[in-house]
Amino acid sequence: MQLIQINETELTLSHQKLGTLKKAGLGLVGLGTLFLLLALTGLATNSPVLFIVLSLGLMTGGAFISFYAQRKEEPPGIKNNQIWQKSFTARGSAAWILGVAVTGFYIVLYWFPDLLEHWIRMVDPVAYVLYNGPADQWFLYGFFYTVAILIMGSRMILVKYRHSNYQKIRTASIMFFQTGFAFLIPFVLKALNQPDFYFTYFWPLKYDYLFPGTVDYLLSHPGGLGVFMVFWGAVMTFLATPVLTWFFGKRWYCSWVCGCGGLANTAGDPFRQLSDKSLTAWKTERRMIYSVLVFIIVTTALLWLNSIYSGSVLGSLSQGFKKTYGFAIGAMFSGVIGVGFYPIMGTRVWCRFGCPMAAYLGILQKFFSRFRITTNGGQCISCGNCSTYCEMGIDVRWYAQRGENIVRASCVGCGVCSAVCPRGVLNLENGPRENRFSILNAFYK
Amino acid sequence: MDHLVIIGNGISGVTAARTVRKTSKMKITIISGETDHFFSRTALMYIYMGHMKYEHTKPYEDWFWEKNGINLIKGWVEKIDTDNKYVEMKDGRIINWSKLLLATGSQPNKFGWPGQDLPGVQGFYSLQDLELMEQNTAGIDHAIIVGGGLIGIEVAEMLHSRNIPVTFLVRENNFWDIILPEEEAKMINREIVEHGIDLRLATELKEILPDKNGRVRAVVTDKDEEISCGFVALTVGVHPNISLVKNSKIETGRGVLVNDFLETSVPDVYAAGDCAEIIVPGEARNRIEQLWYTGRMQGESVGKTIAGKRTKYERGIWFNSAKFLDLEYQTYGFVSNIPLESENSFYWEHENGKHALRIVYKKENRAVTGINVFGIRMRHKVCENWIRERRPLEYVLTHLRDANFDPEFFKRHEQAVIDHYNKKNPQNKLQLRRRRLPAGLFSE
Ligand SMILES: Cc1cc2nc3c(=O)[nH]c(=O)nc-3n(C[C@H](O)[C@H](O)[C@H](O)COP(=O)(O)OP(=O)(O)OC[C@H]3O[C@@H](n4cnc5c(N)ncnc54)[C@H](O)[C@@H]3O)c2cc1C
Ligand code: SF4
Ligand code: SF4
């Protein structure tokens, strides 16, 4: 008995040590945040590099220390412990504070960028390295965004889903596309005096990529790159998207490439359970997202008619559209509500209710795809983990407990339902389309 | 119009109600004292652990019941009168029925240990038990679990999630070895210890001691060892909850006695799920099935019968699944813990001790009769077909890839399994077949 007592003390001790290490890590993150806030006051102006190290450096270092402690503390596996008991992840006051702070950041970013002047100057050195020019608010935003995806993506790979190769590879892909295609390449293009272009965003998400104005501009750009960009955009929208979705479902984009999904699946991961699973939410979702898609299709068509009939259809309205829509959808929806409300409404609000690309991919996925989530026979115990952790608010359990496969337009194929299921009931699969919806036998007669 | 009254809003009662509703317009009322709405008992642990809240464990939104014409009444039934066809509730309400379904579930076992009713000592079955456990474990620094079954290990995981040190008293020599063969049982032993839980095998509870306030202070084991604690969970199995039925004219044994059609001794009265004891003519012991899956299947079957299509309950090829901390487990067919005379078994275990596969087969024709699998997800339908079609061991091994249900990019173990077989049977080397489904790029 004596012996066991000792063992236990040791056990608690090592747990305590790790607990302390984790706290130390989080403390460093806090300290880094403090420096970041201090930088806003202008303290960083004379020594921007020092402040980048003090803020982002400490935050990164602290985060990795806490990842290390968490790895040591628990064996690999799903550990959603206390998620619905902590203020931060269960819509408590901490969540509201964070939500207000992030929303505030977006409002300042879009409407009062001057307030961010000191931060922008702080990241100047990075901008100079990349494109040999001063930073602006969008560079600052892109930089923060990418850092968030990289740090929190590392958490997914090193800690939370380290038992799941699907999650590890998928997260690495998100990190790669964000860093390379949504951050580095556009700024390198800028350095080379090439048009501003994102190779991983296409019409209808980047609705203006197929507007006559943009196409004309790109085509008239000296050098072949502009022509290639028009070609690339059209091929991605009309050829690559349907083909890839046919084989893999919309996940090839939403969970492997897209930066919005990327942020949701990394920085947003602690909040994915907050999505609304009700039938009412599903109805609202369908109404909204397809309206946005229709709106963009109609507008694009009108703009082309307008340009063919040289302005006689719409007059100067097209510019007006760009502005209003860009504001309503681009700023309000995808930024302020889409990200600012993570801690309140969950991570994929924009992807679910507002993204026209998701709408397009969703139609393809529902009707023209080999993808489905297979339910493993009668193994579901209706526990509800899958539905709770579905960021798209899909009531996965509804299908699983009936032994039905899940074929839903909105499913982004993040694979988390499959990961959290304690009975191994769900599997994301691409396969023959016969019986894709049907009970028990997706593949086997 | 017929009025079906169902006592118990668990998986059995609710599945029966839904099944009846699919084909019949009869009035349906579900009575339960535990909760207003159906929730998933299997998810209780996740509420304590903070993975979910109670509301997430409800498989249907609250509007579902009214929309489907199913009345819900919350309250306890105290009396069943089968002559005049009514039930009486604790609050005195009388509810008439023309058909009655008993789906009252189980109750935790207690074996008369001294101190088993002390404050701080409890079983774990209902939502009320969960609330009690929340209070009982607040601020304690040591917990004892008595009984190494599926509920016991869930309670261990729950406490562990809150960093409460746990001592786990298990009567058997290896964890759950009344069901599992030794290798698998040992695998779970290791899983438990690896999580920092103090596992005491071959150890039984002798008595539970109170402190001066009458609350639990310690337990004494059969080795006369005293272990201090602030909480004791008794998880030594469950028994049918039939106290209500015992005072009626409905025949009971260990549970409510029913035939293959889940009909009781009284016409128009049925029983399904944990509380039912199915009489098996020609078998020594009647069957009591205490699983979510069997509750669902019994509910479906009895629902058809009640709706007018008399249907025999046939559970088909047995399956079950569970999770031991981080170790997932599935079983198909029948795997005996002690090898049967007429059978042999093939066993492979990964060197890291986290993946294992056992295939039991008949000596005479090598037909596969049972599968245990750990740390690998397998396809229900494929395993079931193998057993139904009496496929020989070698067929199953060479076609293993067809059954894999692990997520994409997971490490596959089929080749290692085959290599293991080939090493033992060098004269009859097997070759793994290609997966039979046309796979997309992502899925191989
Ligand atoms: C913690 C835990 C984990 C489990 N995990 C699994 C698992 O992973 N897989 C699996 O297959 N099985 C599991 N089980 C077993 C499974 O939950 C049960 O077999 C199943 O819930 C039984 O369903 P039922 O409908 O027969 O009864 P119950 O779910 O018990 O429902 C009966 C209901 O009737 C009510 N009732 C009883 N008497 C009266 C009365 N007189 N008046 C009014 N209401 C009354 C009860 O309060 C209860 O709400 C688990 C059980 C527990 C406790
Ligand atoms: S259904 Fe599953 S894979 Fe699809 S979005 Fe929801 S959690 Fe992700
Ligand atoms: S997580 Fe798995 S067992 Fe639980 S409800 Fe979903 S599919 Fe069923």
Side-chain angles (χ1 to χ4, degrees), chain A residues 106 110-111 138 324-338:
Chain A
Y106 272 96
Y110 281 103
W111 291 287
W138 303 120
T324 354
Y325 180 83
F327 172 79
I329 297 295
M332 281 304 288
F333 208 154
S334 65
V336 179
I337 299 175

Side-chain angles (χ1 to χ4, degrees), chain A residues 27-39 43-44 47-62 122:
Chain A
L28 285 185
V29 174
L31 198 65
T33 316
L34 195 71
F35 277 113
L36 195 61
L37 292 176
L38 279 179
L43 266 183
S47 38
V49 177
L50 176 71
F51 261 81
I52 289 184
V53 173
L54 281 180
S55 58
L56 298 181
L58 278 184
M59 284 160 101
T60 313
M122 181 177 82

Side-chain angles (χ1 to χ4, degrees), chain B residues 123-400:
Chain B
F124 186 65
Y125 188 81
S126 65
L127 191 69
Q128 285 74 27
D129 289 338
L130 181 76
E131 282 156 8
L132 185 64
M133 181 165 164
E134 194 67 61
Q135 294 164 18
N136 277 342
T137 56
I140 61 161
D141 42 41
H142 200 114
I144 306 277
I145 299 170
V146 183
L150 294 176
I151 299 182
I153 195 148
E154 288 189 1
V155 175
E157 189 176 351
M158 290 158 74
L159 294 163
H160 181 66
S161 79
R162 297 211 182 164
N163 289 325
I164 297 171
V166 176
T167 298
F168 201 167
L169 307 186
V170 173
R171 184 186 57 188
E172 292 75 28
N173 291 328
N174 290 297
F175 192 86
W176 214 36
D177 69 5
I178 48 164
I179 302 288
L180 295 176
E182 189 177 333
E183 287 88 349
E184 286 96 312
K186 285 194 162 148
M187 201 166 169
I188 304 175
N189 292 349
R190 292 194 304 265
E191 181 77 5
I192 296 172
V193 172
E194 201 179 304
H195 277 74
I197 292 165
D198 172 25
L199 177 65
R200 307 288 185 93
L201 295 168
T203 307
E204 290 188 56
L205 174 68
K206 199 165 126 193
E207 76 175 296
I208 306 173
L209 305 173
D211 64 11
K212 57 181 186 304
N213 302 318
R215 201 181 180 283
V216 57
R217 165 177 73 80
V219 298
V220 181
T221 69
D222 60 349
K223 303 187 169 58
D224 281 328
E225 194 180 305
E226 190 179 309
I227 310 172
S228 63
C229 61
F231 174 72
V232 178
L234 301 175
T235 56
V236 284
V238 296
H239 62 270
N241 176 9
I242 53 167
S243 44
L244 168 71
V245 190
K246 272 196 174 145
N247 301 320
S248 73
K249 291 193 176 160
I250 305 159
E251 268 177 38
T252 58
R254 285 180 296 148
V256 184
L257 288 170
V258 292
N259 60 15
D260 276 348
F261 295 89
L262 306 176
E263 298 158 334
T264 68
S265 58
V266 175
D268 292 331
V269 180
Y270 309 81
D274 276 27
C275 69
E277 176 177 349
I278 305 172
I279 301 164
V280 196
E283 253 179 63
R285 217 170 138 83
N286 291 341
R287 243 168 39 215
I288 299 182
E289 298 174 342
Q290 296 160 323
L291 289 181
W292 185 263
Y293 308 123
T294 49
R296 191 176 60 208
M297 292 189 276
Q298 291 186 19
E300 195 173 326
S301 165
V302 80
K304 286 181 188 158
T305 300
I306 292 172
K309 188 167 165 242
R310 195 158 178 261
T311 306
K312 198 167 166 178
Y313 166 60
E314 275 162 326
R315 64 180 184 187
I317 288 175
W318 184 256
F319 68 94
N320 194 11
S321 53
K323 195 174 177 188
F324 303 96
L325 299 161
D326 291 316
L327 197 57
E328 287 181 17
Y329 155 71
Q330 297 178 335
T331 186
Y332 299 98
F334 180 67
V335 177
S336 170
N337 58 339
I338 300 156
L340 299 183
E341 196 49 40
S342 59
E343 292 176 345
N344 264 338
S345 88
F346 167 87
Y347 182 75
W348 166 85
E349 188 178 306
H350 192 281
E351 59 207 14
N352 71 8
K354 298 281 184 198
H355 312 275
L357 174 67
R358 177 183 300 278
I359 305 177
V360 178
Y361 56 95
K362 283 231 176 349
K363 278 181 188 164
E364 52 171 30
N365 58 4
R366 302 184 80 75
V368 167
T369 52
I371 298 172
N372 270 354
V373 58
F374 285 80
I376 303 172
R377 295 176 174 180
M378 301 246 284
R379 215 175 276 270
H380 188 160
K381 201 70 198 170
V382 176
C383 296
E384 201 177 82
N385 286 349
W386 284 340
I387 294 170
R388 180 178 308 114
E389 293 161 3
R390 301 201 177 79
R391 296 289 186 179
L393 170 72
E394 284 70 18
Y395 178 93
V396 167
L397 285 175
T398 49
H399 288 82
L400 261 188

Side-chain angles (χ1 to χ4, degrees), chain A residues 374-376 379-388 395-401 406 416-426, chain B residues 40 42-43 46 52 56 59 292-293 296 321 377:
Chain A
T374 310
T375 289
N376 200 13
Q379 305 262 7
C380 173
I381 52 170
S382 298
C383 68
N385 274 299
C386 52
S387 299
T388 307
D395 191 357
V396 185
R397 165 175 56 190
W398 175 271
Y399 306 89
Q401 65 194 358
I406 296 104
V416 169
C417 52
S418 160
V420 298
C421 175
R423 296 294 176 272
V425 177
L426 305 164
Chain B
S40 178
T42 53
Y46 299 111
M52 287 186 278
H56 301 117
W292 185 263
Y293 308 123
R296 191 176 60 208
S321 53
R377 295 176 174 180

Side-chain angles (χ1 to χ4, degrees), chain A residues 426-444:
Chain A
L426 305 164
N427 201 10
L428 281 62
E429 297 188 299
N430 317 306
R433 286 166 44 79
E434 311 89 65
N435 298 326
R436 192 164 65 118
F437 294 83
S438 89
I439 301 185
L440 303 180
N441 295 313
F443 298 115
Y444 286 86

